[in-house]
Amino acid sequence: VTEATDAREELFGRERMLAALNARTGGTPQDVLHRVREAVRDFVKDADQFDDMTMLCMEYKGAKT
């Protein structure tokens, strides 16, 4: 995600990724992934990407007792 580039070859970067993750809290892992993907899509627009993108989101449900 951080290495996605726009037409000027600027990286999406860590700051944009964190902003996308923190823009709205809550939701399912699928919701979080969708928000990040939309942020990347808005940044990249029509620029070709040189690599694939892999995302993983996990939900912590607390320690087992």
Side-chain angles (χ1 to χ4, degrees):
V1 171
T2 58
E3 294 179 351
T5 55
D6 64 6
R8 297 172 298 176
E9 296 186 11
E10 183 177 346
L11 293 174
F12 185 72
R14 185 174 183 260
E15 293 299 318
R16 285 185 183 91
M17 182 185 67
L18 290 174
L21 288 168
N22 292 318
R24 192 171 8 129
T25 58
T28 66
Q30 292 85 358
D31 294 335
V32 173
L33 293 174
H34 179 75
R35 287 194 305 262
V36 172
R37 179 66 184 121
E38 287 298 311
V40 171
R41 187 175 294 139
D42 290 345
F43 173 77
V44 167
K45 297 193 179 6
D46 295 330
D48 289 331
Q49 300 301 298
F50 64 92
D51 204 355
D52 60 347
M53 184 179 355
T54 302
M55 296 190 296
L56 172 69
C57 183
M58 294 184 276
E59 181 178 12
Y60 178 70
K61 296 194 178 209
K64 279 187 156 182
T65 57

